[in-house]
Amino acid sequence: MDFDQADRVNQAIRLLSLRHRARTAELLAPLGLHPGQEALVLELARTGPMIQAKLSEALNIEPPSVTLMARKLEASGHLRRTPAPTDKRASVVELTDSGRALAGQLKRLWRALAEETVAGLSARKVQDLPGLLTTIAANVDTRHRR
Amino acid sequence: MDFDQADRVNQAIRLLSLRHRARTAELLAPLGLHPGQEALVLELARTGPMIQAKLSEALNIEPPSVTLMARKLEASGHLRRTPAPTDKRASVVELTDSGRALAGQLKRLWRALAEETVAGLSARKVQDLPGLLTTIAANVDTRHRR
DNA sequence: CGGCTAACGTTATCTGCATAAGGTTAGCCG
DNA sequence: CGGCTAACCTTATGCAGATAACGTTAGCCG
């Protein structure tokens, strides 16, 4: 592959990252959320209460990021952190009523964003898109390298 | 589109962003660069000296980001910022010899990353990928919205 | 049971990128 | 030529996310 072609690939990914995040920020702003936080709330809504280490793994972000984001979502009343009964090191995080209500809002918004994202694509391409993106994401995964 | 499908789309994009950036960081680290800076250097290598406002537009990032990133690349000796002769408000930024050498390294690395990214995809899909990503990036572009 | 390692979480610090606000200069228009 | 707007850059601040380093607890193993 020559440089121009490689650059097109890399730059397209970078641009998509920037724009998708910016659009997410725009949609999330009315809810008082910042991009990244929606993933945390949606994961808790999907899976239920869990330890922070689990969240870190589910979201593919590092534990310190979970600590800080959870602290902010706790401050805004959307979630609660309680010491784990079985393990004094761990802390369980779960949605509050406010957090569950927020998750409902998020789900609607999340569908709107996805529809906007794939606008104009054929049904086949829409169908294949998640798989395609997941594949190339796996290709550049930092962990299972050589 | 139902929520699960929408979530797959959005989450795939988020995951790709995280992983591609992480892999970029890993590859850039030996050169002493952080992700994002490579775009700046490559743009200067491609287009030549330019005003910061132009750079901001080319990279799709805001002017304050350019200021800070350029300051750091200047500190590490890869570029130089000189007052624009025709416009006292503007400052021209250009690569130094060290910066040009770095750009050469970057180009090789950039090709390797792209090849790694599209590994296992059919030639057709590789061919279509940049266009596809650019299309969906345009779909979520914040600016030309209603 | 004592000690060692591994896991959980936290704090500190760094980066990219964003918005808000402010100082200078360009450039136009009356 | 004076004033007004718009463009260029910068500083301050906030957020996500990363690493490094640290204290605390689990859990295993001699």
Side-chain angles (χ1 to χ4, degrees):
Chain A
M1 191 186 301
D2 65 352
F3 171 73
D4 282 349
Q5 201 179 347
D7 192 48
R8 268 188 284 275
V9 171
N10 290 329
Q11 233 177 339
I13 294 175
R14 178 175 173 274
L15 189 63
L16 174 59
S17 302
L18 283 174
R19 290 238 206 280
H20 191 263
R21 187 179 188 85
R23 182 62 179 140
T24 301
E26 203 173 56
L27 291 172
L28 253 40
L31 302 183
L33 288 185
H34 294 270
Q37 302 182 338
E38 87 288 345
L40 205 161
V41 172
L42 287 174
E43 180 62 27
L44 284 180
R46 184 181 308 123
T47 313
M50 61 201 295
I51 250 54
Q52 284 188 195
K54 267 286 185 189
L55 247 185
S56 162
E57 192 182 1
L59 300 179
N60 286 284
I61 60 180
E62 297 301 314
S65 301
V66 175
T67 296
L68 297 177
M69 289 167 71
R71 202 200 282 318
K72 279 162 196 167
L73 287 171
E74 187 179 34
S76 49
H78 298 310
L79 58 84
R80 183 174 23 236
R81 297 187 313 144
T82 56
T86 76
D87 188 337
K88 286 179 187 168
R89 301 167 300 177
S91 85
V92 176
V93 52
E94 62 183 330
L95 291 180
T96 60
D97 290 346
S98 156
R100 266 184 292 274
L102 186 70
Q105 306 271 56
L106 272 180
K107 285 187 187 179
R108 247 170 285 143
L109 200 152
W110 217 222
R111 286 187 4 195
L113 174 57
E115 278 164 10
E116 181 179 321
T117 302
V118 301
L121 267 58
S122 70
R124 246 188 87 50
K125 285 190 178 175
V126 173
Q127 187 68 26
D128 292 351
L129 188 62
L132 174 62
L133 296 181
T134 303
T135 298
I136 72 183
N139 280 346
V140 293
D141 191 351
T142 320
R143 282 168 307 198
H144 46 65
R145 186 151 317 287
R146 73 187 108 290
Chain B
M1 190 185 302
D2 66 351
F3 171 72
D4 282 349
Q5 199 178 349
D7 192 47
R8 269 189 282 278
V9 171
N10 290 330
Q11 233 178 337
I13 293 176
R14 178 175 172 273
L15 189 62
L16 174 59
S17 301
L18 284 174
R19 290 238 205 280
H20 191 263
R21 187 178 188 86
R23 181 63 179 137
T24 301
E26 203 174 55
L27 291 172
L28 254 39
L31 302 182
L33 288 185
H34 293 271
Q37 301 182 336
E38 88 287 345
L40 204 162
V41 171
L42 287 173
E43 180 61 27
L44 284 180
R46 185 181 307 125
T47 314
M50 61 201 294
I51 249 54
Q52 283 188 196
K54 267 286 186 189
L55 247 184
S56 163
E57 193 183 359
L59 300 180
N60 287 283
I61 60 180
E62 297 300 315
S65 301
V66 175
T67 296
L68 297 177
M69 291 168 70
R71 202 200 281 316
K72 280 163 196 167
L73 287 171
E74 187 178 35
S76 49
H78 297 311
L79 59 82
R80 183 173 25 236
R81 302 194 304 150
T82 56
T86 75
D87 189 334
K88 285 180 188 168
R89 300 167 302 177
S91 86
V92 176
V93 52
E94 61 184 331
L95 292 180
T96 60
D97 290 347
S98 157
R100 265 183 294 273
L102 187 70
Q105 307 270 56
L106 271 181
K107 284 187 187 179
R108 247 170 286 143
L109 200 151
W110 218 221
R111 286 188 3 197
L113 175 57
E115 278 163 12
E116 181 179 321
T117 302
V118 301
L121 267 58
S122 70
R124 248 186 85 52
K125 284 190 179 175
V126 173
Q127 187 67 26
D128 292 352
L129 188 62
L132 175 62
L133 296 180
T134 302
T135 297
I136 72 183
N139 280 346
V140 293
D141 190 352
T142 319
R143 283 170 305 200
H144 47 62
R145 187 152 315 287
R146 70 192 101 290

